Amino acid sequence: MTQRLIVIGTGMSSLRLMETIVAEAPGQFSIQAFGEEPFLPYNRVKLSSWLQAEHREAALYPHHSDWYADNDIHVHTNERIIQIDPPAKTVLTENGERYGYDYAVIAAGSSPVRLNIPGSGKKGVQTFRTLEDARRLKDIAFRRQKAVVVGGGFLGLEAAYGLAKAGTKVEVIQRADTLLPPQLDETASQYLQKELEKHGITFHFGQSIQEVTGGQEVKGAVLQDGTSLPADTVLFAAGILPNSQLAEESGLAVNRGILVDDYMKTSTDSVYAIGECAEHNGTTYGLVPPVYEHAHTAALHLCGKPSSPYNGSSSYSHLKIAGVDLFTGGRMEESEDTHVIVQADSTRPLYQKVVLRHDVIQGAVLFGDTSTADDITERLQNQKPLSMSEKIQLFSGEGKTEKLVHCTPETTICKCNQVNKRTILRHIAGTEKASAATIQEDTRASTSCGGCAADVSSLLQVFDRCKDQASVNTFCSCTMWEEEQVKEKVFSGEWKRMEDVFRSAAWQNEGCDICIPALTYYFSLTGKIAWQKAPWVLEEADGRYTVTSLPIRGDDSGDILRQWMKLQENLPGSRLRFESDQRLSLSEITEEQMNEVCTAAGLPQHVFAGANLKPFTIETRRNRELFYRLERNLYTLSFPSTFTIRTTSVFPDGLSKYELGLVWNEDAWEMHAEGDTGRIILYAAQEQEVEDMVKTTIQHFRETAFFEEPFADWILRLSPVTIREILFLEDDRELLIQALEEHIEIAQGNAVIHSI
């Protein structure tokens, strides 16, 4: 049944929410969105570049009216919601119309601060927040008037540059002694100030505006030291305040913003809040990436999809001011226990600095060259200590292009709009004269903060080296879906049984020899366990059976050998022999005797679907019992393809694509794999941590590899860098180990067999 969703606000967070809902659960909601402006939802981030005449106004709109109609979205323009009635689940508009809802989302955004000073209500006092504001400023710029901008933050500086570029004389009043505190340090502020002054902008630091002079219209501004500045326009860009009044008047919990939990729900279950108006754990956000994260979390929760709780956002900004790229992230405060790395060139606009504590990046500013912004953002998030070589290469961008070439097709290139590498490559492959502009228009990559623009351009340059990733590889002939899409449906729980797959619109028939084994494997990794006859129990042509042991080695090998000899002695006519891979087999036994042998030897007669483990090759005496135990525990588990481990104390000449090599090198275990491109040294683990590292790698392989994908191919597809990050992050490692041990426990116990 279609549910009714009311969205209050038509800004960027509400648009991202609606886009995500349409993509994740088409047809689940009938959406009505209410906006106070006379426009369809547009990209506010691009207002500054539009003011600077970098593109047409039409480029502000991500979607035309047809898109909304096709997805059952009714956008009410010029219509303000004045009341939410949570008990009745209705909203009331300023026009007196009442609408019912099953769920409502408040995405009311924020309002610019208008200083309460004499003359602030005069004609010519402006703010810069909406398209109407931008149109008025463009008209001012066209008439080349004199403007005073109050505030040296991002928005104020972008507006000042846009006005100055069009010929307006601009003076900026900044209460602080530098620009963009606390994002920039004093040196970076001076670099930025110098670039803006080249365009005729004048700055007044350590000052505040006391009065706007003139009659009904603005004639000037008076500063706190008495200085009088002539002006036709005064632009307030001194900060924003969350729009929380509607929520407060409707009885919802409010502090500075609307209080929300980890899934963006307000104090009323059926009402959510996202974007600049929401307050999570005492924090409100005014940047694009966090409000998009709000929208994504709320959308998945509304759709009933598995989603991680929102845990707050990293503070970073990536934009362009005065034609110069600028990135800021984290906190730039310095203290006795911090140290800094700086690279600067006064002959051109280049200044790069990171602040570290115990070799972990705390904050960064990149001015002029932001090519390493993504890498620094990732390090701000994972808080991994930097090695000496990583510090040396921090600003070089060395390997950035290679990383783009070798990263997986699913790697997100544009974080603001969630555009992955494959989407961009497909556009390039299918467009005769692909360019950064055509990629923007088709995929929306780099249309928000612009931080990924360099990566988009690099993909154009290296397309020939990774064009194979643009191809569409369907799961099988039964469907047009790709394997990653199928896996997501199974792992999310949307498809609970095999029949759910075959009954879905994505499938054209009842399965085939390709998709049924693969689906069986994927379902075996969820709670929907599919068992198969164990490979060590073989029914012969004459109706008799052969049972083969697991490899016999380790401290209990003598006891196991005596046990099997005793079994053979008690079963007249049976034959016991050694196999070449350190196993014993007992043949010529009846079905009843087979049951007795399996019970006595502790061998399950059934295993998980796809039990593809091969005996380990143990060539070193170190940790032998650990690897024997791992081998015994893993034997009944499912693997996407044949898999084995080889331990050695010498560098192996060669490894198969299906093999994890563990090489003891002085005081650590090196984890090796070998694919078509040569040897890969994945990780170096200390002896006491090798078990956790091996278990983490194995479970990550089981969960993320495609069916029948060799171990080495999986490493290359995900990239060694990505896998190393998983091995390093303690929380991710613990979750993977826990999942593996749960499967081992199920296999060793008497688990209920579930049909899939």
Side-chain angles (χ1 to χ4, degrees):
M1 180 179 176
T2 302
Q3 296 176 295
R4 299 167 300 168
L5 176 65
I6 295 288
V7 180
I8 302 170
T10 53
M12 296 182 68
S13 63
S14 63
L15 179 58
R16 174 49 55 88
L17 174 95
M18 292 186 288
E19 289 173 332
T20 306
I21 287 174
V22 166
E24 293 290 336
Q28 183 172 335
F29 289 97
S30 176
I31 303 174
Q32 299 198 71
F34 294 83
E36 298 180 24
E37 296 184 62
F39 313 107
L40 287 174
Y42 58 87
N43 188 336
R44 295 184 193 277
V45 172
K46 297 178 76 171
L47 286 177
S48 298
S49 54
W50 176 73
L51 180 62
Q52 296 161 20
E54 293 180 4
H55 51 70
R56 297 176 294 108
E57 186 175 308
L60 297 174
Y61 296 94
H63 302 293
H64 298 296
S65 56
D66 289 349
W67 181 84
Y68 298 97
D70 292 343
N71 290 291
D72 197 11
I73 300 173
H74 181 193
V75 179
H76 300 256
T77 57
N78 279 325
E79 195 162 1
R80 186 166 68 94
I81 299 294
I82 62 171
Q83 182 192 72
I84 306 170
D85 186 344
K89 289 193 173 182
T90 63
V91 297
L92 179 66
T93 73
E94 193 173 36
N95 300 327
E97 299 288 337
R98 192 170 291 277
Y99 296 87
Y101 65 81
D102 295 300
Y103 295 98
V105 178
I106 306 174
S110 60
S111 298
V113 174
R114 291 182 73 103
L115 301 179
N116 186 21
I117 60 172
S120 61
K122 296 182 185 299
K123 184 179 179 181
V125 175
Q126 307 283 342
T127 56
F128 184 27
R129 193 70 182 161
T130 67
L131 178 53
E132 290 282 17
D133 293 336
R135 285 177 172 178
R136 284 192 291 269
L137 289 175
K138 199 159 211 177
D139 181 60
I140 291 166
F142 178 76
R143 290 185 276 120
R144 301 194 175 189
Q145 297 180 323
K146 298 176 182 178
V148 168
V149 176
V150 181
F154 289 127
L155 206 59
L157 296 180
E158 287 182 322
Y161 174 65
L163 290 167
K165 188 178 178 182
T168 299
K169 176 176 172 53
V170 181
E171 301 193 66
V172 176
I173 302 170
Q174 171 69 328
R175 183 184 292 273
D177 294 329
T178 60
L179 299 176
L180 296 177
Q183 292 95 340
L184 302 186
D185 65 2
E186 185 174 351
T187 304
S189 172
Q190 290 173 353
Y191 270 77
L192 179 57
Q193 180 183 341
K194 182 188 292 186
E195 289 303 310
L196 289 165
E197 287 174 341
K198 290 178 182 178
H199 297 275
I201 300 172
T202 303
F203 293 92
H204 302 269
F205 291 102
Q207 293 283 347
S208 62
I209 186 171
Q210 300 298 300
E211 182 182 359
V212 178
T213 61
Q216 291 185 343
E217 297 186 359
V218 172
K219 292 299 180 184
V222 179
L223 307 188
Q224 68 183 63
D225 65 357
T227 301
S228 182
L229 304 176
D232 305 289
T233 298
V234 172
L235 174 66
F236 285 140
I240 57 174
L241 290 173
N243 289 330
S244 58
Q245 184 179 355
L246 171 64
E248 185 173 13
E249 291 174 350
S250 300
L252 303 182
V254 169
N255 186 30
R256 185 170 187 267
I258 305 168
L259 299 180
V260 295
D261 66 9
D262 292 345
Y263 294 96
M264 312 314 294
K265 285 169 51 173
T266 67
S267 54
T268 297
D269 278 349
S270 59
V271 181
Y272 294 67
I274 61 173
E276 294 171 332
C277 67
E279 180 177 335
H280 177 267
N281 283 347
T283 303
T284 58
Y285 297 90
L287 299 172
V288 173
V291 303
Y292 277 176
E293 290 171 22
H294 289 184
H296 186 72
T297 299
L300 291 182
H301 202 253
L302 281 163
C303 295
K305 296 295 184 71
S307 62
S308 300
Y310 176 70
N311 294 316
S313 299
S314 301
S315 175
Y316 64 91
S317 303
H318 202 154
L319 66 160
K320 183 176 288 189
I321 299 178
V324 180
D325 286 321
L326 174 64
F327 169 84
T328 69
R331 304 176 65 86
M332 296 300 294
E333 293 90 345
E334 297 179 40
S335 60
E336 292 183 358
D337 62 343
T338 63
H339 65 284
V340 300
I341 302 174
V342 178
Q343 176 173 278
D345 185 346
S346 60
T347 65
R348 60 190 179 99
L350 176 67
Y351 179 75
Q352 299 172 310
K353 174 181 177 180
V354 295
V355 176
L356 303 100
R357 179 178 287 109
H358 307 306
D359 295 327
V360 176
I361 296 180
Q362 305 300 306
V365 57
L366 306 175
F367 182 82
D369 180 0
T370 59
S371 59
T372 59
D374 283 348
D375 185 45
I376 288 176
T377 300
E378 186 176 338
R379 294 179 185 279
L380 278 168
Q381 292 171 339
N382 65 31
Q383 291 291 281
K384 175 183 176 182
L386 273 63
S387 66
M388 183 58 70
S389 62
E390 287 173 325
K391 292 179 188 177
I392 293 170
Q393 298 174 2
L394 194 58
F395 299 134
S396 68
E398 185 177 330
K400 183 67 183 294
T401 301
E402 290 302 309
K403 188 175 180 180
L404 269 178
V405 171
H406 296 298
C407 68
T408 69
E410 290 74 31
T411 299
T412 302
I413 302 299
C414 177
K415 296 179 177 64
C416 290
N417 295 299
Q418 291 298 300
V419 183
N420 65 22
K421 178 183 177 183
R422 190 194 299 279
T423 300
I424 296 172
L425 293 178
R426 285 180 180 171
H427 170 84
I428 298 171
T431 306
E432 186 175 350
K433 293 182 179 180
S435 65
T438 64
I439 292 171
Q440 282 187 342
E441 184 175 354
D442 183 39
T443 71
R444 296 175 59 198
S446 77
T447 60
S448 292
C449 75
C452 62
D455 288 347
V456 170
S457 296
S458 294
L459 284 176
L460 282 163
Q461 296 166 13
V462 300
F463 173 71
D464 285 343
R465 297 178 58 193
C466 48
K467 60 185 178 183
D468 58 305
Q469 294 184 356
S471 60
V472 179
N473 297 313
T474 58
F475 191 60
C476 69
S477 60
C478 303
T479 179
M480 294 302 295
W481 281 26
E482 297 176 53
E483 193 152 1
E484 197 63 53
Q485 293 174 287
V486 173
K487 286 175 62 179
E488 194 277 331
K489 290 288 186 183
V490 174
F491 291 166
S492 71
E494 187 166 339
W495 287 340
K496 295 180 173 58
R497 300 172 177 274
M498 200 83 82
E499 54 260 36
D500 294 340
V501 181
F502 300 145
R503 289 173 184 170
S504 72
W507 239 254
Q508 299 166 9
N509 53 43
E510 291 297 308
C512 66
D513 292 342
I514 295 175
C515 65
I516 290 177
L519 287 167
T520 301
Y521 168 69
Y522 291 137
F523 275 113
S524 76
L525 293 178
T526 69
K528 323 299 183 297
I529 303 161
W531 298 100
Q532 294 180 346
K533 199 73 172 178
W536 45 81
V537 177
L538 177 65
E539 185 177 2
E540 306 290 357
D542 60 0
R544 300 182 78 79
Y545 286 82
T546 296
V547 177
T548 305
S549 73
L550 300 182
I552 299 177
R553 45 201 184 187
D555 290 344
D556 57 354
S557 58
D559 292 338
I560 294 172
L561 177 58
R562 284 188 288 273
Q563 178 191 35
W564 280 72
M565 292 176 67
K566 182 70 172 178
L567 286 170
Q568 191 267 338
E569 181 181 332
N570 292 335
L571 298 172
S574 63
R575 295 197 320 166
L576 181 66
R577 66 175 182 270
F578 281 99
E579 303 292 347
S580 59
D581 54 359
Q582 295 181 284
R583 294 197 276 187
L584 295 165
S585 68
L586 190 64
S587 59
E588 299 296 327
I589 57 177
T590 65
E591 182 175 3
E592 183 179 351
Q593 292 170 335
M594 177 270 291
N595 292 328
E596 293 176 9
V597 170
C598 287
T599 300
L603 287 171
Q605 295 183 40
H606 293 84
V607 296
F608 279 83
N612 287 315
L613 193 76
K614 298 299 179 186
F616 291 178
T617 303
I618 312 294
E619 298 175 351
T620 175
R621 300 190 64 84
R622 304 197 74 89
N623 297 82
R624 279 197 170 196
E625 290 304 319
L626 162 64
F627 296 119
Y628 294 154
R629 175 165 47 82
L630 273 175
E631 183 182 50
R632 289 193 295 270
N633 288 340
L634 296 173
Y635 244 100
T636 57
L637 301 191
S638 51
F639 283 84
S641 64
T642 298
F643 177 78
T644 188
I645 291 177
R646 178 180 179 187
T647 73
T648 177
S649 56
V650 296
F651 200 83
D653 292 335
L655 295 168
S656 78
K657 295 171 69 172
Y658 302 91
E659 195 169 16
L660 168 60
L662 294 169
V663 182
W664 177 253
N665 187 358
E666 295 184 0
D667 60 351
W669 286 98
E670 291 180 355
M671 301 172 67
H672 291 222
E674 191 161 339
D676 296 334
T677 59
R679 182 65 56 86
I680 303 160
I681 300 180
L682 189 62
Y683 201 82
Q686 298 300 312
E687 189 162 13
Q688 67 271 17
E689 65 178 359
V690 67
E691 180 175 4
D692 283 355
M693 293 304 172
V694 170
K695 285 183 174 180
T696 303
T697 304
I698 286 173
Q699 184 63 12
H700 195 41
F701 172 53
R702 296 176 71 231
E703 290 184 1
T704 58
F706 293 137
F707 185 61
E708 296 186 338
E709 182 176 28
F711 179 69
D713 291 356
W714 166 76
I715 289 176
L716 292 173
R717 180 171 63 82
L718 262 64
S719 85
V721 173
T722 301
I723 297 171
R724 288 185 198 115
E725 289 295 335
I726 295 292
L727 293 171
F728 178 81
L729 295 173
E730 184 176 353
D731 289 347
D732 289 352
R733 191 168 65 241
E734 288 180 355
L735 286 173
L736 288 166
I737 292 171
Q738 180 183 350
L740 181 67
E741 290 178 345
E742 285 176 355
H743 276 204
I744 291 172
E745 185 177 351
I746 290 171
Q748 292 178 341
N750 296 314
V752 177
I753 300 175
H754 298 275
S755 170
I756 61 169

